Amino acid sequence: MALNYMGVAAINLVGALLSIPVIAAGIWLSTQADNACVQILQWPVIGLGVAVLAVGLAGFVAAFWRLPWLLLVYLVAMLVVVVALACLVVLVLAVTTGSSGHRVPSREFLEYDLDDYSGWLRARLDARWDRIKACLAATPTCSDFNGTYATAQDLFTAPPNSMSPLQSGCCKPPTSCGYTLVTPTYWISPISATADPDCAAWSNEEAKFCYSCSSCKAGLLQNLRTEWRRADIILAVATVALLGVYAMGCYAFRTAKTDQLFRRYRQGYTTHE
């Protein structure tokens, strides 16, 4: 019986250690400038990671000191945490479907359309856009963009992977507006007006640029799509591993309880003899 309880303790310790990649994924998201401004996913991920750690340690303590009531609490709590983590994995996968950008005439870089992305995510951005765009304007995203391309030819022939979606959407006007480039972040407005609201929203002021444009939101969503899916792979692997740990923990706990009942039965049988 002691050996079985030690097995449960070891399994629960492994479960607690699986919190490390989950917490690391949340911390990594929080270090990305765009996620730091949006603040949607990283805190739930970190919170679930801490919950996995706390529940796993509670299960270890319960098994090591042979506390059946705490083991039962652990099994219920770990099931809830694993289900929550699985739901988060599915949610991230569902809201990160969408376009990977489209090419525009005479350009190598990609531009992005807001309608291609999840309505749920768009609504979250709209509700806090004033704060998000102020945060984005304070990052070096567009200043880095301005220093990368020396000439118009450098910008127009820039390969897609040299310009982030956020830079494409927020640091320049959409190509369809017909602006004339002076520097990558300074453009001359065309004489004729256009129906695209993003064209009127563009400003050469550093604090404004295209941060009020739909193209900026689309570029941000594409950035989030890429980063969230990377984190989602880690979360999915951790979820599968935790399910395996949970199943082994249930089996080991059941075995330990069966051994305990059998031992009591044998003790009682010996006494009657």
Side-chain angles (χ1 to χ4, degrees):
M1 182 180 68
L3 183 59
N4 285 331
Y5 271 105
M6 290 303 294
V8 176
I11 291 169
N12 293 343
L13 183 59
V14 172
L17 293 176
L18 285 172
S19 68
I20 295 175
V22 178
I23 295 172
I27 293 174
W28 176 76
L29 285 172
S30 68
T31 63
Q32 307 305 302
D34 48 355
N35 273 284
C37 290
V38 174
Q39 296 184 6
I40 294 177
L41 184 62
Q42 65 264 41
W43 294 118
V45 171
I46 292 173
L48 281 174
V50 171
V52 170
L53 176 62
V55 173
L57 290 177
F60 173 78
V61 169
F64 191 81
W65 274 277
R66 303 180 196 176
L67 303 173
W69 66 269
L70 186 55
L71 271 176
L72 286 174
V73 172
Y74 154 77
L75 291 173
V76 173
M78 183 58 81
L79 179 61
V80 171
V81 171
V82 170
V83 169
L85 194 56
C87 289
L88 183 62
V89 168
V90 173
L91 175 64
V92 170
L93 186 62
V95 301
T96 53
T97 57
S99 172
S100 294
H102 59 272
R103 293 188 181 276
V104 290
S106 304
R107 304 289 188 269
E108 292 296 323
F109 56 76
L110 301 177
E111 294 187 343
Y112 305 88
D113 188 346
L114 187 59
D115 291 335
D116 290 337
Y117 298 92
S118 159
W120 183 87
L121 263 184
R122 296 204 309 267
R124 297 304 176 280
L125 290 191
D126 288 341
R128 59 190 79 183
W129 187 247
D130 287 341
R131 178 184 62 76
I132 292 174
K133 71 179 181 181
C135 178
L136 291 175
T139 68
T141 301
C142 289
S143 58
D144 290 346
F145 173 76
N146 189 38
T148 301
Y149 308 103
T151 65
Q153 187 66 18
D154 290 340
L155 175 61
F156 297 154
T157 59
N161 60 357
S162 70
M163 182 188 307
S164 74
L166 193 60
Q167 290 174 328
S168 176
C170 303
C171 304
K172 64 173 187 59
T175 301
S176 60
C177 295
Y179 276 71
T180 302
L181 181 145
V182 178
T183 70
T185 54
Y186 190 89
W187 300 70
I188 297 175
S189 175
I191 296 175
S192 58
T194 176
D196 190 342
D198 280 3
C199 301
W202 167 261
S203 171
N204 288 314
E205 294 182 34
E206 185 175 355
K208 296 180 180 178
F209 286 150
C210 219
Y211 293 121
S212 296
C213 300
S214 294
S215 64
C216 186
K217 294 180 182 179
L220 175 59
L221 288 173
Q222 180 61 29
N223 259 35
L224 295 180
R225 179 180 185 269
T226 301
E227 292 164 3
W228 285 19
R229 287 210 162 185
R230 289 175 183 171
D232 205 38
I233 293 173
I234 298 173
L235 298 181
V237 171
T239 300
V240 172
L242 282 169
L243 281 172
V245 167
Y246 183 78
M248 288 188 293
C250 288
Y251 175 77
F253 176 70
R254 182 179 177 182
T255 302
K257 293 299 291 181
T258 301
D259 289 348
Q260 186 179 31
L261 289 173
F262 183 68
R263 183 177 179 181
R264 288 178 179 176
Y265 170 78
R266 289 186 60 187
Q267 288 174 343
Y269 181 77
T270 303
T271 301
H272 286 300
E273 284 187 340

mmCIF file of all heavy atoms in Angstrom, residues 191-236:
data_model
loop_
_atom_site.group_PDB
_atom_site.id
_atom_site.type_symbol
_atom_site.label_atom_id
_atom_site.label_comp_id
_atom_site.label_asym_id
_atom_site.label_seq_id
_atom_site.Cartn_x
_atom_site.Cartn_y
_atom_site.Cartn_z
ATOM 1 N N ILE A 191 -4.628 63.649 -54.119
ATOM 2 C CA ILE A 191 -5.561 64.771 -54.316
ATOM 3 C C ILE A 191 -7.006 64.290 -54.277
ATOM 4 O O ILE A 191 -7.877 64.905 -53.658
ATOM 5 C CB ILE A 191 -5.273 65.466 -55.667
ATOM 6 C CG1 ILE A 191 -3.867 66.080 -55.635
ATOM 7 C CG2 ILE A 191 -6.319 66.546 -55.947
ATOM 8 C CD1 ILE A 191 -3.456 66.679 -56.959
ATOM 9 N N SER A 192 -7.273 63.166 -54.911
ATOM 10 C CA SER A 192 -8.650 62.671 -54.969
ATOM 11 C C SER A 192 -8.996 61.925 -53.685
ATOM 12 O O SER A 192 -8.167 61.208 -53.124
ATOM 13 C CB SER A 192 -8.830 61.728 -56.168
ATOM 14 O OG SER A 192 -7.915 60.655 -56.075
ATOM 15 N N ALA A 193 -10.221 62.092 -53.240
ATOM 16 C CA ALA A 193 -10.668 61.427 -52.017
ATOM 17 C C ALA A 193 -10.987 59.962 -52.326
ATOM 18 O O ALA A 193 -11.223 59.574 -53.461
ATOM 19 C CB ALA A 193 -11.901 62.125 -51.462
ATOM 20 N N THR A 194 -11.003 59.146 -51.290
ATOM 21 C CA THR A 194 -11.317 57.731 -51.434
ATOM 22 C C THR A 194 -12.379 57.338 -50.419
ATOM 23 O O THR A 194 -12.531 57.993 -49.389
ATOM 24 C CB THR A 194 -10.059 56.860 -51.246
ATOM 25 O OG1 THR A 194 -10.434 55.483 -51.306
ATOM 26 C CG2 THR A 194 -9.403 57.125 -49.909
ATOM 27 N N ALA A 195 -13.105 56.267 -50.740
ATOM 28 C CA ALA A 195 -14.200 55.846 -49.862
ATOM 29 C C ALA A 195 -13.710 55.065 -48.653
ATOM 30 O O ALA A 195 -14.453 54.868 -47.704
ATOM 31 C CB ALA A 195 -15.198 55.005 -50.659
ATOM 32 N N ASP A 196 -12.464 54.596 -48.673
ATOM 33 C CA ASP A 196 -11.947 53.789 -47.568
ATOM 34 C C ASP A 196 -11.688 54.673 -46.350
ATOM 35 O O ASP A 196 -10.867 55.593 -46.412
ATOM 36 C CB ASP A 196 -10.645 53.113 -47.998
ATOM 37 C CG ASP A 196 -10.180 52.073 -46.980
ATOM 38 O OD1 ASP A 196 -10.647 52.119 -45.836
ATOM 39 O OD2 ASP A 196 -9.340 51.228 -47.342
ATOM 40 N N PRO A 197 -12.377 54.431 -45.215
ATOM 41 C CA PRO A 197 -12.174 55.269 -44.021
ATOM 42 C C PRO A 197 -10.732 55.243 -43.518
ATOM 43 O O PRO A 197 -10.287 56.210 -42.891
ATOM 44 C CB PRO A 197 -13.126 54.637 -42.989
ATOM 45 C CG PRO A 197 -14.121 53.874 -43.791
ATOM 46 C CD PRO A 197 -13.393 53.402 -45.003
ATOM 47 N N ASP A 198 -10.010 54.171 -43.782
ATOM 48 C CA ASP A 198 -8.624 54.092 -43.328
ATOM 49 C C ASP A 198 -7.757 55.161 -43.972
ATOM 50 O O ASP A 198 -6.781 55.617 -43.370
ATOM 51 C CB ASP A 198 -8.028 52.712 -43.656
ATOM 52 C CG ASP A 198 -8.444 51.657 -42.642
ATOM 53 O OD1 ASP A 198 -9.231 51.990 -41.730
ATOM 54 O OD2 ASP A 198 -7.994 50.500 -42.766
ATOM 55 N N CYS A 199 -8.106 55.562 -45.186
ATOM 56 C CA CYS A 199 -7.299 56.569 -45.884
ATOM 57 C C CYS A 199 -7.389 57.921 -45.169
ATOM 58 O O CYS A 199 -6.393 58.641 -45.036
ATOM 59 C CB CYS A 199 -7.760 56.706 -47.328
ATOM 60 S SG CYS A 199 -7.641 55.156 -48.273
ATOM 61 N N ALA A 200 -8.575 58.256 -44.686
ATOM 62 C CA ALA A 200 -8.746 59.507 -43.954
ATOM 63 C C ALA A 200 -8.189 59.399 -42.542
ATOM 64 O O ALA A 200 -7.816 60.410 -41.930
ATOM 65 C CB ALA A 200 -10.225 59.885 -43.906
ATOM 66 N N ALA A 201 -8.100 58.183 -42.008
ATOM 67 C CA ALA A 201 -7.619 57.991 -40.635
ATOM 68 C C ALA A 201 -6.100 58.079 -40.537
ATOM 69 O O ALA A 201 -5.566 58.319 -39.455
ATOM 70 C CB ALA A 201 -8.078 56.629 -40.108
ATOM 71 N N TRP A 202 -5.394 57.915 -41.664
ATOM 72 C CA TRP A 202 -3.929 57.975 -41.622
ATOM 73 C C TRP A 202 -3.441 59.367 -41.230
ATOM 74 O O TRP A 202 -3.986 60.381 -41.645
ATOM 75 C CB TRP A 202 -3.322 57.600 -42.976
ATOM 76 C CG TRP A 202 -1.853 57.960 -43.048
ATOM 77 C CD1 TRP A 202 -1.311 59.064 -43.632
ATOM 78 C CD2 TRP A 202 -0.767 57.252 -42.456
ATOM 79 N NE1 TRP A 202 0.045 59.088 -43.468
ATOM 80 C CE2 TRP A 202 0.419 57.978 -42.737
ATOM 81 C CE3 TRP A 202 -0.669 56.080 -41.722
ATOM 82 C CZ2 TRP A 202 1.676 57.553 -42.313
ATOM 83 C CZ3 TRP A 202 0.583 55.657 -41.291
ATOM 84 C CH2 TRP A 202 1.729 56.393 -41.587
ATOM 85 N N SER A 203 -2.405 59.428 -40.415
ATOM 86 C CA SER A 203 -1.771 60.680 -40.020
ATOM 87 C C SER A 203 -0.261 60.469 -39.995
ATOM 88 O O SER A 203 0.227 59.399 -39.615
ATOM 89 C CB SER A 203 -2.248 61.126 -38.640
ATOM 90 O OG SER A 203 -1.485 62.233 -38.183
ATOM 91 N N ASN A 204 0.478 61.494 -40.418
ATOM 92 C CA ASN A 204 1.938 61.426 -40.359
ATOM 93 C C ASN A 204 2.472 61.670 -38.950
ATOM 94 O O ASN A 204 3.684 61.569 -38.735
ATOM 95 C CB ASN A 204 2.559 62.445 -41.323
ATOM 96 C CG ASN A 204 2.389 62.022 -42.784
ATOM 97 O OD1 ASN A 204 2.634 60.878 -43.135
ATOM 98 N ND2 ASN A 204 1.947 62.955 -43.624
ATOM 99 N N GLU A 205 1.576 62.008 -38.017
ATOM 100 C CA GLU A 205 2.023 62.212 -36.633
ATOM 101 C C GLU A 205 2.363 60.865 -35.999
ATOM 102 O O GLU A 205 1.604 59.902 -36.114
ATOM 103 C CB GLU A 205 0.925 62.902 -35.822
ATOM 104 C CG GLU A 205 0.625 64.319 -36.270
ATOM 105 C CD GLU A 205 -0.440 64.967 -35.400
ATOM 106 O OE1 GLU A 205 -0.471 64.661 -34.181
ATOM 107 O OE2 GLU A 205 -1.244 65.749 -35.936
ATOM 108 N N GLU A 206 3.490 60.823 -35.318
ATOM 109 C CA GLU A 206 3.992 59.564 -34.764
ATOM 110 C C GLU A 206 3.012 58.924 -33.788
ATOM 111 O O GLU A 206 2.916 57.697 -33.696
ATOM 112 C CB GLU A 206 5.335 59.809 -34.071
ATOM 113 C CG GLU A 206 6.008 58.548 -33.562
ATOM 114 C CD GLU A 206 7.383 58.815 -32.988
ATOM 115 O OE1 GLU A 206 7.850 59.968 -33.071
ATOM 116 O OE2 GLU A 206 7.984 57.873 -32.450
ATOM 117 N N ALA A 207 2.279 59.749 -33.057
ATOM 118 C CA ALA A 207 1.354 59.212 -32.054
ATOM 119 C C ALA A 207 0.058 58.699 -32.688
ATOM 120 O O ALA A 207 -0.745 58.047 -32.007
ATOM 121 C CB ALA A 207 1.021 60.278 -31.019
ATOM 122 N N LYS A 208 -0.138 58.972 -33.978
ATOM 123 C CA LYS A 208 -1.395 58.590 -34.622
ATOM 124 C C LYS A 208 -1.186 57.558 -35.729
ATOM 125 O O LYS A 208 -1.812 56.503 -35.715
ATOM 126 C CB LYS A 208 -2.100 59.834 -35.192
ATOM 127 C CG LYS A 208 -2.522 60.830 -34.127
ATOM 128 C CD LYS A 208 -3.218 62.031 -34.756
ATOM 129 C CE LYS A 208 -3.657 63.037 -33.697
ATOM 130 N NZ LYS A 208 -4.302 64.228 -34.300
ATOM 131 N N PHE A 209 -0.315 57.874 -36.712
ATOM 132 C CA PHE A 209 -0.096 56.992 -37.851
ATOM 133 C C PHE A 209 -1.428 56.383 -38.287
ATOM 134 O O PHE A 209 -2.383 57.094 -38.549
ATOM 135 C CB PHE A 209 0.941 55.922 -37.522
ATOM 136 C CG PHE A 209 2.360 56.462 -37.482
ATOM 137 C CD1 PHE A 209 3.321 55.893 -36.653
ATOM 138 C CD2 PHE A 209 2.740 57.544 -38.263
ATOM 139 C CE1 PHE A 209 4.616 56.391 -36.608
ATOM 140 C CE2 PHE A 209 4.034 58.048 -38.228
ATOM 141 C CZ PHE A 209 4.979 57.468 -37.390
ATOM 142 N N CYS A 210 -1.498 55.019 -38.353
ATOM 143 C CA CYS A 210 -2.766 54.385 -38.744
ATOM 144 C C CYS A 210 -3.361 53.595 -37.587
ATOM 145 O O CYS A 210 -4.064 52.600 -37.791
ATOM 146 C CB CYS A 210 -2.557 53.472 -39.960
ATOM 147 S SG CYS A 210 -3.918 53.530 -41.169
ATOM 148 N N TYR A 211 -3.092 54.056 -36.365
ATOM 149 C CA TYR A 211 -3.569 53.318 -35.197
ATOM 150 C C TYR A 211 -5.094 53.322 -35.083
ATOM 151 O O TYR A 211 -5.661 52.474 -34.378
ATOM 152 C CB TYR A 211 -2.959 53.891 -33.919
ATOM 153 C CG TYR A 211 -1.467 53.671 -33.828
ATOM 154 C CD1 TYR A 211 -0.586 54.737 -33.723
ATOM 155 C CD2 TYR A 211 -0.928 52.384 -33.849
ATOM 156 C CE1 TYR A 211 0.790 54.539 -33.638
ATOM 157 C CE2 TYR A 211 0.442 52.173 -33.767
ATOM 158 C CZ TYR A 211 1.294 53.256 -33.667
ATOM 159 O OH TYR A 211 2.644 53.053 -33.597
ATOM 160 N N SER A 212 -5.756 54.254 -35.765
ATOM 161 C CA SER A 212 -7.225 54.266 -35.757
ATOM 162 C C SER A 212 -7.816 53.546 -36.961
ATOM 163 O O SER A 212 -9.035 53.566 -37.158
ATOM 164 C CB SER A 212 -7.735 55.716 -35.724
ATOM 165 O OG SER A 212 -7.357 56.357 -34.523
ATOM 166 N N CYS A 213 -6.957 52.918 -37.761
ATOM 167 C CA CYS A 213 -7.402 52.246 -38.981
ATOM 168 C C CYS A 213 -7.875 50.822 -38.701
ATOM 169 O O CYS A 213 -7.368 50.141 -37.794
ATOM 170 C CB CYS A 213 -6.256 52.182 -39.995
ATOM 171 S SG CYS A 213 -5.606 53.797 -40.516
ATOM 172 N N SER A 214 -8.798 50.362 -39.510
ATOM 173 C CA SER A 214 -9.197 48.955 -39.447
ATOM 174 C C SER A 214 -8.039 48.053 -39.832
ATOM 175 O O SER A 214 -7.917 46.930 -39.338
ATOM 176 C CB SER A 214 -10.380 48.705 -40.391
ATOM 177 O OG SER A 214 -11.534 49.401 -39.946
ATOM 178 N N SER A 215 -7.163 48.554 -40.712
ATOM 179 C CA SER A 215 -5.997 47.759 -41.128
ATOM 180 C C SER A 215 -5.062 47.491 -39.951
ATOM 181 O O SER A 215 -4.400 46.445 -39.885
ATOM 182 C CB SER A 215 -5.232 48.469 -42.245
ATOM 183 O OG SER A 215 -4.699 49.702 -41.791
ATOM 184 N N CYS A 216 -5.012 48.429 -39.002
ATOM 185 C CA CYS A 216 -4.173 48.248 -37.817
ATOM 186 C C CYS A 216 -4.750 47.144 -36.934
ATOM 187 O O CYS A 216 -4.010 46.294 -36.426
ATOM 188 C CB CYS A 216 -4.066 49.563 -37.043
ATOM 189 S SG CYS A 216 -2.906 49.504 -35.649
ATOM 190 N N LYS A 217 -6.058 47.156 -36.768
ATOM 191 C CA LYS A 217 -6.698 46.088 -35.994
ATOM 192 C C LYS A 217 -6.471 44.737 -36.660
ATOM 193 O O LYS A 217 -6.193 43.735 -35.992
ATOM 194 C CB LYS A 217 -8.198 46.356 -35.862
ATOM 195 C CG LYS A 217 -8.544 47.587 -35.042
ATOM 196 C CD LYS A 217 -10.055 47.777 -34.975
ATOM 197 C CE LYS A 217 -10.421 49.040 -34.186
ATOM 198 N NZ LYS A 217 -11.883 49.253 -34.143
ATOM 199 N N ALA A 218 -6.570 44.720 -37.999
ATOM 200 C CA ALA A 218 -6.361 43.462 -38.725
ATOM 201 C C ALA A 218 -4.921 42.976 -38.568
ATOM 202 O O ALA A 218 -4.672 41.786 -38.357
ATOM 203 C CB ALA A 218 -6.696 43.653 -40.202
ATOM 204 N N GLY A 219 -3.959 43.895 -38.663
ATOM 205 C CA GLY A 219 -2.563 43.515 -38.475
ATOM 206 C C GLY A 219 -2.296 43.004 -37.073
ATOM 207 O O GLY A 219 -1.559 42.028 -36.875
ATOM 208 N N LEU A 220 -2.925 43.648 -36.095
ATOM 209 C CA LEU A 220 -2.780 43.194 -34.712
ATOM 210 C C LEU A 220 -3.375 41.795 -34.541
ATOM 211 O O LEU A 220 -2.767 40.920 -33.899
ATOM 212 C CB LEU A 220 -3.474 44.184 -33.778
ATOM 213 C CG LEU A 220 -3.526 43.794 -32.290
ATOM 214 C CD1 LEU A 220 -2.131 43.601 -31.721
ATOM 215 C CD2 LEU A 220 -4.285 44.853 -31.482
ATOM 216 N N LEU A 221 -4.540 41.556 -35.132
ATOM 217 C CA LEU A 221 -5.168 40.243 -35.021
ATOM 218 C C LEU A 221 -4.331 39.158 -35.694
ATOM 219 O O LEU A 221 -4.272 38.025 -35.214
ATOM 220 C CB LEU A 221 -6.574 40.281 -35.628
ATOM 221 C CG LEU A 221 -7.620 41.043 -34.808
ATOM 222 C CD1 LEU A 221 -8.926 41.166 -35.575
ATOM 223 C CD2 LEU A 221 -7.866 40.359 -33.466
ATOM 224 N N GLN A 222 -3.660 39.515 -36.795
ATOM 225 C CA GLN A 222 -2.795 38.537 -37.439
ATOM 226 C C GLN A 222 -1.583 38.215 -36.563
ATOM 227 O O GLN A 222 -1.167 37.065 -36.455
ATOM 228 C CB GLN A 222 -2.334 39.059 -38.809
ATOM 229 C CG GLN A 222 -1.422 38.105 -39.570
ATOM 230 C CD GLN A 222 -2.089 36.778 -39.883
ATOM 231 O OE1 GLN A 222 -3.310 36.712 -40.031
ATOM 232 N NE2 GLN A 222 -1.292 35.719 -39.995
ATOM 233 N N ASN A 223 -1.036 39.252 -35.926
ATOM 234 C CA ASN A 223 0.049 39.016 -34.966
ATOM 235 C C ASN A 223 -0.410 38.104 -33.833
ATOM 236 O O ASN A 223 0.281 37.152 -33.454
ATOM 237 C CB ASN A 223 0.520 40.354 -34.380
ATOM 238 C CG ASN A 223 1.802 40.856 -35.018
ATOM 239 O OD1 ASN A 223 2.021 40.667 -36.213
ATOM 240 N ND2 ASN A 223 2.645 41.501 -34.239
ATOM 241 N N LEU A 224 -1.591 38.416 -33.274
ATOM 242 C CA LEU A 224 -2.134 37.598 -32.189
ATOM 243 C C LEU A 224 -2.382 36.171 -32.669
ATOM 244 O O LEU A 224 -2.119 35.212 -31.934
ATOM 245 C CB LEU A 224 -3.443 38.200 -31.670
ATOM 246 C CG LEU A 224 -3.358 39.565 -30.993
ATOM 247 C CD1 LEU A 224 -4.750 40.010 -30.538
ATOM 248 C CD2 LEU A 224 -2.413 39.533 -29.802
ATOM 249 N N ARG A 225 -2.881 36.030 -33.881
ATOM 250 C CA ARG A 225 -3.147 34.692 -34.431
ATOM 251 C C ARG A 225 -1.878 33.851 -34.423
ATOM 252 O O ARG A 225 -1.891 32.685 -34.010
ATOM 253 C CB ARG A 225 -3.691 34.828 -35.853
ATOM 254 C CG ARG A 225 -3.975 33.515 -36.554
ATOM 255 C CD ARG A 225 -4.511 33.782 -37.972
ATOM 256 N NE ARG A 225 -4.894 32.543 -38.623
ATOM 257 C CZ ARG A 225 -4.088 31.810 -39.375
ATOM 258 N NH1 ARG A 225 -2.830 32.177 -39.545
ATOM 259 N NH2 ARG A 225 -4.514 30.707 -39.952
ATOM 260 N N THR A 226 -0.781 34.431 -34.900
ATOM 261 C CA THR A 226 0.483 33.692 -34.962
ATOM 262 C C THR A 226 0.981 33.329 -33.573
ATOM 263 O O THR A 226 1.356 32.178 -33.296
ATOM 264 C CB THR A 226 1.541 34.529 -35.693
ATOM 265 O OG1 THR A 226 1.085 34.837 -37.018
ATOM 266 C CG2 THR A 226 2.862 33.778 -35.781
ATOM 267 N N GLU A 227 0.971 34.306 -32.664
ATOM 268 C CA GLU A 227 1.514 34.075 -31.319
ATOM 269 C C GLU A 227 0.614 33.174 -30.490
ATOM 270 O O GLU A 227 1.094 32.293 -29.759
ATOM 271 C CB GLU A 227 1.723 35.423 -30.622
ATOM 272 C CG GLU A 227 2.822 36.251 -31.266
ATOM 273 C CD GLU A 227 2.800 37.717 -30.859
ATOM 274 O OE1 GLU A 227 1.944 38.086 -30.015
ATOM 275 O OE2 GLU A 227 3.623 38.491 -31.372
ATOM 276 N N TRP A 228 -0.696 33.357 -30.596
ATOM 277 C CA TRP A 228 -1.619 32.519 -29.824
ATOM 278 C C TRP A 228 -1.553 31.067 -30.273
ATOM 279 O O TRP A 228 -1.666 30.152 -29.457
ATOM 280 C CB TRP A 228 -3.040 33.049 -29.962
ATOM 281 C CG TRP A 228 -3.296 34.288 -29.157
ATOM 282 C CD1 TRP A 228 -2.361 35.158 -28.651
ATOM 283 C CD2 TRP A 228 -4.575 34.799 -28.763
ATOM 284 N NE1 TRP A 228 -2.984 36.185 -27.988
ATOM 285 C CE2 TRP A 228 -4.341 35.991 -28.036
ATOM 286 C CE3 TRP A 228 -5.882 34.375 -28.969
ATOM 287 C CZ2 TRP A 228 -5.375 36.749 -27.505
ATOM 288 C CZ3 TRP A 228 -6.927 35.133 -28.447
ATOM 289 C CH2 TRP A 228 -6.664 36.308 -27.716
ATOM 290 N N ARG A 229 -1.388 30.842 -31.570
ATOM 291 C CA ARG A 229 -1.326 29.456 -32.039
ATOM 292 C C ARG A 229 -0.035 28.775 -31.572
ATOM 293 O O ARG A 229 -0.043 27.568 -31.313
ATOM 294 C CB ARG A 229 -1.446 29.418 -33.561
ATOM 295 C CG ARG A 229 -2.861 29.714 -34.026
ATOM 296 C CD ARG A 229 -3.199 29.021 -35.312
ATOM 297 N NE ARG A 229 -4.656 28.965 -35.503
ATOM 298 C CZ ARG A 229 -5.227 28.322 -36.493
ATOM 299 N NH1 ARG A 229 -4.490 27.671 -37.370
ATOM 300 N NH2 ARG A 229 -6.544 28.296 -36.606
ATOM 301 N N ARG A 230 1.045 29.522 -31.487
ATOM 302 C CA ARG A 230 2.272 28.936 -30.943
ATOM 303 C C ARG A 230 2.060 28.541 -29.487
ATOM 304 O O ARG A 230 2.442 27.441 -29.071
ATOM 305 C CB ARG A 230 3.426 29.940 -31.058
ATOM 306 C CG ARG A 230 3.913 30.172 -32.478
ATOM 307 C CD ARG A 230 4.970 31.250 -32.514
ATOM 308 N NE ARG A 230 5.399 31.543 -33.879
ATOM 309 C CZ ARG A 230 6.177 32.555 -34.211
ATOM 310 N NH1 ARG A 230 6.640 33.372 -33.279
ATOM 311 N NH2 ARG A 230 6.529 32.751 -35.475
ATOM 312 N N ALA A 231 1.451 29.443 -28.721
ATOM 313 C CA ALA A 231 1.175 29.124 -27.321
ATOM 314 C C ALA A 231 0.171 27.986 -27.207
ATOM 315 O O ALA A 231 0.261 27.150 -26.302
ATOM 316 C CB ALA A 231 0.645 30.365 -26.597
ATOM 317 N N ASP A 232 -0.769 27.929 -28.150
ATOM 318 C CA ASP A 232 -1.817 26.897 -28.094
ATOM 319 C C ASP A 232 -1.234 25.498 -28.284
ATOM 320 O O ASP A 232 -1.765 24.523 -27.738
ATOM 321 C CB ASP A 232 -2.876 27.176 -29.162
ATOM 322 C CG ASP A 232 -4.230 26.574 -28.803
ATOM 323 O OD1 ASP A 232 -4.584 26.611 -27.608
ATOM 324 O OD2 ASP A 232 -4.928 26.080 -29.708
ATOM 325 N N ILE A 233 -0.169 25.385 -29.072
ATOM 326 C CA ILE A 233 0.479 24.082 -29.242
ATOM 327 C C ILE A 233 1.007 23.589 -27.898
ATOM 328 O O ILE A 233 0.827 22.420 -27.521
ATOM 329 C CB ILE A 233 1.621 24.187 -30.271
ATOM 330 C CG1 ILE A 233 1.054 24.468 -31.665
ATOM 331 C CG2 ILE A 233 2.454 22.900 -30.292
ATOM 332 C CD1 ILE A 233 2.115 24.754 -32.710
ATOM 333 N N ILE A 234 1.633 24.493 -27.149
ATOM 334 C CA ILE A 234 2.152 24.137 -25.821
ATOM 335 C C ILE A 234 1.004 23.744 -24.898
ATOM 336 O O ILE A 234 1.080 22.740 -24.169
ATOM 337 C CB ILE A 234 2.959 25.306 -25.228
ATOM 338 C CG1 ILE A 234 4.165 25.613 -26.101
ATOM 339 C CG2 ILE A 234 3.397 24.996 -23.797
ATOM 340 C CD1 ILE A 234 4.931 26.855 -25.683
ATOM 341 N N LEU A 235 -0.069 24.516 -24.925
ATOM 342 C CA LEU A 235 -1.215 24.226 -24.063
ATOM 343 C C LEU A 235 -1.856 22.886 -24.429
ATOM 344 O O LEU A 235 -2.270 22.121 -23.545
ATOM 345 C CB LEU A 235 -2.253 25.342 -24.175
ATOM 346 C CG LEU A 235 -1.810 26.742 -23.738
ATOM 347 C CD1 LEU A 235 -2.958 27.729 -23.882
ATOM 348 C CD2 LEU A 235 -1.291 26.740 -22.318
ATOM 349 N N ALA A 236 -1.943 22.601 -25.714
ATOM 350 C CA ALA A 236 -2.547 21.335 -26.144
ATOM 351 C C ALA A 236 -1.708 20.140 -25.685
ATOM 352 O O ALA A 236 -2.250 19.145 -25.187
ATOM 353 C CB ALA A 236 -2.699 21.321 -27.665
#
